Amino acid sequence: MTSPDARLVHDLAPTGVLRASLNLGNPVLAQGTPEEPSGITVDLAREVAARLGVPVRFLCFDAARKSYAAMAEGHADLCFLAVDPDREKEVAFTPPYVHIEGVYAVPVDSGFGTAGDVDRGGARRRQEGVRVRPAPDPRPAARHGGAR
């Protein structure tokens, strides 16, 4: 492997260390503890740091918004997020490294068979104390024709 351009290294790791912001709140992307994180985003950050020829330091958070804030405020150099048009005003997104399918999980006798059923008039989507959250699909982008 050839050495990366010094400007690229400075742009991506201006402190000489790649500070990677991780969302431990999404177990599809990162698992473990702040002291010993693991998962696809940890592997990707380590690989980026290795290609830049710099060490990596992980900053771990329990939510994507906190991970993003660390980067937006200059405390991190890299984070892993879903594409968000509002965030595109401030950060550049790469092509996806993973595809996650969000689904509704409902009781079998609920009458909801499609996402359209949930949108029909009178459907109740939220109960007190219940958070509607898509179920992540852990299949890597490679399964969908992406990088291997």
Side-chain angles (χ1 to χ4, degrees), residues 73-142:
E73 294 166 4
H75 304 293
D77 307 310
L78 173 70
C79 65
F80 302 90
L81 303 166
V83 174
D84 179 331
D86 288 336
R87 291 178 182 155
E88 282 184 310
K89 297 171 189 166
E90 298 179 32
V91 298
F93 288 99
T94 66
Y97 60 90
V98 65
H99 292 278
I100 299 174
E101 296 179 26
V103 300
Y104 292 105
V106 297
V108 120
D109 60 353
S110 69
F112 297 116
T114 69
D117 294 340
V118 176
D119 290 331
R120 73 175 181 250
R124 195 170 96 184
R125 293 183 204 93
R126 188 176 181 101
Q127 290 181 304
E128 186 63 35
V130 176
R131 181 174 165 202
V132 177
R133 182 176 178 176
D137 179 349
R139 296 175 291 181

